[in-house]
Short mmCIF file of all heavy atoms in Angstrom, two decimals:
data_model
loop_
_atom_site.label_atom_id
_atom_site.label_comp_id
_atom_site.label_asym_id
_atom_site.label_seq_id
_atom_site.Cartn_x
_atom_site.Cartn_y
_atom_site.Cartn_z
N LYS A 1 0.80 -1.25 0.00
CA LYS A 1 0.02 0.01 0.04
C LYS A 1 0.80 1.24 -0.04
O LYS A 1 0.42 2.24 -0.64
CB LYS A 1 -0.99 0.00 1.18
CG LYS A 1 -0.40 0.20 2.56
CD LYS A 1 -1.39 0.20 3.70
CE LYS A 1 -0.80 0.39 4.94
NZ LYS A 1 -1.65 0.49 6.04
N ASP A 2 1.99 1.21 0.58
CA ASP A 2 2.88 2.48 0.74
C ASP A 2 3.53 2.67 -0.64
O ASP A 2 4.10 3.92 -0.80
CB ASP A 2 3.85 2.35 1.84
CG ASP A 2 3.25 2.31 3.23
OD1 ASP A 2 2.14 2.84 3.26
OD2 ASP A 2 3.88 1.88 4.18
N GLN A 3 3.45 1.72 -1.52
CA GLN A 3 4.05 1.98 -2.93
C GLN A 3 2.93 2.53 -3.84
O GLN A 3 3.22 2.59 -5.07
CB GLN A 3 4.60 0.65 -3.40
CG GLN A 3 5.73 0.06 -2.54
CD GLN A 3 6.36 -1.11 -3.09
OE1 GLN A 3 6.54 -1.32 -4.32
NE2 GLN A 3 6.61 -2.03 -2.24
N GLY A 4 1.71 2.87 -3.36
CA GLY A 4 0.76 3.39 -4.07
C GLY A 4 -0.41 2.44 -4.57
O GLY A 4 -1.30 2.78 -5.26
N LEU A 5 -0.31 1.19 -4.17
CA LEU A 5 -1.36 0.15 -4.51
C LEU A 5 -2.65 0.43 -3.83
O LEU A 5 -2.76 0.75 -2.66
CB LEU A 5 -0.85 -1.20 -4.21
CG LEU A 5 -1.78 -2.29 -4.53
CD1 LEU A 5 -1.78 -2.54 -6.11
CD2 LEU A 5 -1.38 -3.65 -3.91
N ALA A 6 -3.77 0.29 -4.69
CA ALA A 6 -5.04 0.46 -4.06
C ALA A 6 -5.80 -0.84 -4.30
O ALA A 6 -5.64 -1.62 -5.33
CB ALA A 6 -5.84 1.60 -4.84
N PHE A 7 -6.67 -1.14 -3.36
CA PHE A 7 -7.53 -2.32 -3.33
C PHE A 7 -8.97 -1.86 -3.27
O PHE A 7 -9.32 -0.95 -2.43
CB PHE A 7 -7.26 -3.14 -2.12
CG PHE A 7 -6.37 -4.35 -2.31
CD1 PHE A 7 -5.06 -4.16 -2.86
CD2 PHE A 7 -6.74 -5.67 -2.10
CE1 PHE A 7 -4.25 -5.22 -2.96
CE2 PHE A 7 -5.93 -6.68 -2.22
CZ PHE A 7 -4.63 -6.51 -2.64
N LEU A 8 -9.87 -2.49 -3.94
CA LEU A 8 -11.28 -2.37 -3.87
C LEU A 8 -11.83 -3.86 -3.59
O LEU A 8 -11.60 -4.63 -4.56
CB LEU A 8 -11.97 -1.63 -4.98
CG LEU A 8 -11.71 -0.19 -5.02
CD1 LEU A 8 -12.39 0.41 -6.37
CD2 LEU A 8 -12.27 0.53 -3.84
N SER A 9 -12.55 -4.03 -2.58
CA SER A 9 -13.15 -5.29 -2.26
C SER A 9 -14.65 -5.34 -2.47
O SER A 9 -15.32 -4.52 -1.82
CB SER A 9 -12.70 -5.64 -0.85
OG SER A 9 -13.20 -6.97 -0.48
N VAL A 10 -15.14 -6.06 -3.51
CA VAL A 10 -16.51 -6.06 -3.81
C VAL A 10 -17.25 -7.32 -3.35
O VAL A 10 -17.01 -8.41 -3.96
CB VAL A 10 -16.62 -5.82 -5.35
CG1 VAL A 10 -18.14 -5.65 -5.74
CG2 VAL A 10 -15.82 -4.65 -5.85
N ASN A 11 -18.19 -7.23 -2.44
CA ASN A 11 -19.00 -8.29 -2.00
C ASN A 11 -20.16 -8.43 -2.98
O ASN A 11 -20.82 -7.44 -3.23
CB ASN A 11 -19.50 -8.05 -0.62
CG ASN A 11 -20.33 -9.18 -0.03
OD1 ASN A 11 -21.50 -8.94 0.19
ND2 ASN A 11 -19.81 -10.33 0.15
N VAL A 12 -20.33 -9.63 -3.46
CA VAL A 12 -21.28 -9.89 -4.59
C VAL A 12 -22.75 -9.90 -4.17
O VAL A 12 -23.08 -10.09 -2.95
CB VAL A 12 -20.92 -11.16 -5.39
CG1 VAL A 12 -19.62 -11.01 -6.10
CG2 VAL A 12 -20.85 -12.38 -4.38
N ALA A 13 -23.71 -9.75 -5.11
CA ALA A 13 -25.07 -9.63 -4.87
C ALA A 13 -25.69 -10.88 -4.19
O ALA A 13 -26.57 -10.74 -3.44
CB ALA A 13 -25.72 -9.27 -6.12
N TRP A 14 -25.07 -12.10 -4.50
CA TRP A 14 -25.74 -13.27 -3.95
C TRP A 14 -25.33 -13.61 -2.61
O TRP A 14 -25.71 -14.50 -1.93
CB TRP A 14 -25.47 -14.45 -4.89
CG TRP A 14 -24.04 -14.80 -5.12
CD1 TRP A 14 -23.22 -15.49 -4.44
CD2 TRP A 14 -23.32 -14.29 -6.31
NE1 TRP A 14 -21.96 -15.63 -5.01
CE2 TRP A 14 -21.94 -14.82 -6.13
CE3 TRP A 14 -23.58 -13.54 -7.42
CZ2 TRP A 14 -21.02 -14.58 -7.11
CZ3 TRP A 14 -22.61 -13.28 -8.35
CH2 TRP A 14 -21.38 -13.91 -8.16
N ASP A 15 -24.55 -12.65 -1.94
CA ASP A 15 -24.19 -12.71 -0.48
C ASP A 15 -25.16 -11.82 0.30
O ASP A 15 -26.10 -11.32 -0.29
CB ASP A 15 -22.70 -12.32 -0.29
CG ASP A 15 -22.11 -12.89 0.97
OD1 ASP A 15 -22.77 -13.43 1.75
OD2 ASP A 15 -20.92 -12.70 1.25
N THR A 16 -24.96 -11.76 1.54
CA THR A 16 -25.78 -10.81 2.43
C THR A 16 -24.91 -9.79 3.10
O THR A 16 -23.66 -10.10 3.31
CB THR A 16 -26.47 -11.63 3.54
OG1 THR A 16 -25.45 -12.17 4.42
CG2 THR A 16 -27.38 -12.78 2.93
N GLU A 17 -25.56 -8.70 3.42
CA GLU A 17 -24.76 -7.67 4.10
C GLU A 17 -24.22 -8.10 5.48
O GLU A 17 -23.10 -7.91 5.88
CB GLU A 17 -25.62 -6.35 4.31
CG GLU A 17 -24.87 -5.24 4.83
CD GLU A 17 -25.56 -3.92 4.72
OE1 GLU A 17 -26.59 -3.82 4.10
OE2 GLU A 17 -25.11 -2.88 5.41
N GLY A 18 -25.03 -8.88 6.15
CA GLY A 18 -24.59 -9.47 7.50
C GLY A 18 -23.45 -10.34 7.34
O GLY A 18 -22.43 -10.30 8.09
N GLY A 19 -23.46 -11.26 6.32
CA GLY A 19 -22.42 -12.15 6.05
C GLY A 19 -21.09 -11.42 5.68
O GLY A 19 -19.96 -11.70 6.13
N ALA A 20 -21.23 -10.23 4.92
CA ALA A 20 -20.19 -9.50 4.43
C ALA A 20 -19.52 -8.86 5.66
O ALA A 20 -18.22 -8.78 5.74
CB ALA A 20 -20.58 -8.42 3.52
N LYS A 21 -20.31 -8.30 6.59
CA LYS A 21 -19.73 -7.61 7.70
C LYS A 21 -18.92 -8.52 8.70
O LYS A 21 -17.91 -8.22 9.15
CB LYS A 21 -20.82 -6.86 8.45
CG LYS A 21 -21.35 -5.55 7.78
CD LYS A 21 -22.49 -4.86 8.50
CE LYS A 21 -22.81 -3.55 7.79
NZ LYS A 21 -23.93 -2.88 8.46
N LYS A 22 -19.54 -9.71 8.83
CA LYS A 22 -18.81 -10.64 9.71
C LYS A 22 -17.51 -11.15 9.06
O LYS A 22 -16.53 -11.32 9.75
CB LYS A 22 -19.71 -11.91 9.88
CG LYS A 22 -20.78 -11.68 10.83
CD LYS A 22 -21.76 -12.91 10.96
CE LYS A 22 -22.95 -12.55 11.79
NZ LYS A 22 -23.95 -13.65 11.88
N PHE A 23 -17.58 -11.24 7.68
CA PHE A 23 -16.25 -11.68 7.03
C PHE A 23 -15.30 -10.64 7.18
O PHE A 23 -14.10 -10.93 7.43
CB PHE A 23 -16.70 -11.78 5.50
CG PHE A 23 -15.62 -12.34 4.64
CD1 PHE A 23 -15.53 -13.74 4.40
CD2 PHE A 23 -14.75 -11.68 4.01
CE1 PHE A 23 -14.50 -14.33 3.58
CE2 PHE A 23 -13.75 -12.14 3.16
CZ PHE A 23 -13.59 -13.48 2.93
N VAL A 24 -15.62 -9.41 6.97
CA VAL A 24 -14.63 -8.26 7.10
C VAL A 24 -14.02 -8.19 8.53
O VAL A 24 -12.83 -8.10 8.70
CB VAL A 24 -15.25 -6.89 6.71
CG1 VAL A 24 -14.40 -5.76 7.08
CG2 VAL A 24 -15.62 -6.87 5.27
N GLU A 25 -14.87 -8.44 9.55
CA GLU A 25 -14.39 -8.48 10.83
C GLU A 25 -13.53 -9.67 11.13
O GLU A 25 -12.39 -9.51 11.81
CB GLU A 25 -15.56 -8.45 11.89
CG GLU A 25 -16.35 -7.18 11.92
CD GLU A 25 -17.66 -7.24 12.65
OE1 GLU A 25 -17.82 -8.25 13.47
OE2 GLU A 25 -18.55 -6.31 12.56
N ALA A 26 -13.85 -10.80 10.69
CA ALA A 26 -13.16 -12.03 10.93
C ALA A 26 -11.77 -12.00 10.44
O ALA A 26 -10.77 -12.45 11.01
CB ALA A 26 -13.96 -13.21 10.38
N TYR A 27 -11.53 -11.39 9.09
CA TYR A 27 -10.38 -11.36 8.49
C TYR A 27 -9.63 -10.02 8.59
O TYR A 27 -8.57 -9.90 7.97
CB TYR A 27 -10.48 -11.77 7.06
CG TYR A 27 -10.97 -13.24 6.88
CD1 TYR A 27 -12.28 -13.52 6.55
CD2 TYR A 27 -10.01 -14.23 7.12
CE1 TYR A 27 -12.65 -14.89 6.46
CE2 TYR A 27 -10.44 -15.65 7.07
CZ TYR A 27 -11.79 -15.88 6.75
OH TYR A 27 -12.17 -17.29 6.68
N HIS A 28 -10.15 -9.06 9.28
CA HIS A 28 -9.58 -7.71 9.51
C HIS A 28 -9.16 -7.13 8.20
O HIS A 28 -7.99 -6.74 8.13
CB HIS A 28 -8.46 -7.90 10.51
CG HIS A 28 -8.69 -8.70 11.75
ND1 HIS A 28 -9.45 -8.11 12.77
CD2 HIS A 28 -8.40 -9.85 12.14
CE1 HIS A 28 -9.65 -8.92 13.74
NE2 HIS A 28 -8.99 -10.05 13.47
N LEU A 29 -10.03 -7.01 7.28
CA LEU A 29 -9.64 -6.42 5.90
C LEU A 29 -9.41 -5.02 6.06
O LEU A 29 -10.15 -4.23 6.49
CB LEU A 29 -10.76 -6.71 4.92
CG LEU A 29 -11.13 -8.29 4.75
CD1 LEU A 29 -12.16 -8.37 3.68
CD2 LEU A 29 -9.89 -9.01 4.42
N PRO A 30 -8.10 -4.64 5.70
CA PRO A 30 -7.70 -3.22 5.90
C PRO A 30 -7.99 -2.26 4.71
O PRO A 30 -7.61 -1.13 4.77
CB PRO A 30 -6.19 -3.38 6.03
CG PRO A 30 -5.86 -4.60 5.14
CD PRO A 30 -7.01 -5.48 5.16
N PHE A 31 -8.62 -2.80 3.70
CA PHE A 31 -8.87 -1.98 2.49
C PHE A 31 -10.39 -1.69 2.38
O PHE A 31 -11.15 -2.28 3.01
CB PHE A 31 -8.28 -2.62 1.24
CG PHE A 31 -8.42 -4.14 1.26
CD1 PHE A 31 -9.68 -4.72 1.02
CD2 PHE A 31 -7.37 -4.87 1.49
CE1 PHE A 31 -9.82 -6.15 1.02
CE2 PHE A 31 -7.49 -6.34 1.52
CZ PHE A 31 -8.68 -6.95 1.35
N PRO A 32 -10.73 -0.85 1.49
CA PRO A 32 -12.11 -0.48 1.32
C PRO A 32 -13.06 -1.59 0.79
O PRO A 32 -12.59 -2.27 -0.17
CB PRO A 32 -12.15 0.74 0.22
CG PRO A 32 -10.77 1.21 0.22
CD PRO A 32 -9.89 0.14 0.52
N VAL A 33 -14.09 -1.89 1.51
CA VAL A 33 -14.95 -3.03 1.17
C VAL A 33 -16.38 -2.45 0.97
O VAL A 33 -16.93 -1.77 1.80
CB VAL A 33 -14.98 -4.08 2.32
CG1 VAL A 33 -15.89 -5.25 1.90
CG2 VAL A 33 -13.55 -4.61 2.57
N GLY A 34 -17.03 -2.90 -0.04
CA GLY A 34 -18.42 -2.52 -0.25
C GLY A 34 -19.24 -3.61 -0.90
O GLY A 34 -18.72 -4.67 -1.25
N ARG A 35 -20.54 -3.32 -0.98
CA ARG A 35 -21.44 -4.44 -1.52
C ARG A 35 -21.92 -3.95 -2.89
O ARG A 35 -22.25 -2.86 -3.14
CB ARG A 35 -22.69 -4.54 -0.59
CG ARG A 35 -22.37 -5.13 0.69
CD ARG A 35 -23.07 -6.39 1.03
NE ARG A 35 -24.42 -6.56 0.66
CZ ARG A 35 -24.78 -7.58 -0.22
NH1 ARG A 35 -23.91 -8.46 -0.63
NH2 ARG A 35 -25.98 -7.73 -0.60
N ASP A 36 -22.00 -4.95 -3.75
CA ASP A 36 -22.63 -4.80 -5.07
C ASP A 36 -23.98 -5.44 -5.01
O ASP A 36 -24.32 -6.45 -5.64
CB ASP A 36 -21.75 -5.53 -6.08
CG ASP A 36 -22.21 -5.38 -7.53
OD1 ASP A 36 -23.05 -4.48 -7.78
OD2 ASP A 36 -21.85 -6.19 -8.41
#
């Protein structure tokens, strides 16, 4: 990331928002995460 790399993490439509939030917390995802 300090070399300028950007990440976008896209949770797909067939998942749930609750499942996505638990996943992000469980794996401590440090980059922007959103739902499609």
Side-chain angles (χ1 to χ4, degrees):
K1 69 178 182 180
D2 292 336
Q3 296 180 47
L5 181 69
F7 261 59
L8 286 178
S9 182
V10 184
N11 179 244
V12 292
W14 55 89
D15 203 350
T16 65
E17 186 167 350
K21 287 181 176 178
K22 287 179 185 172
F23 187 92
V24 170
E25 289 171 15
Y27 294 105
H28 308 289
L29 300 184
F31 36 74
V33 180
R35 292 237 330 117
D36 181 23

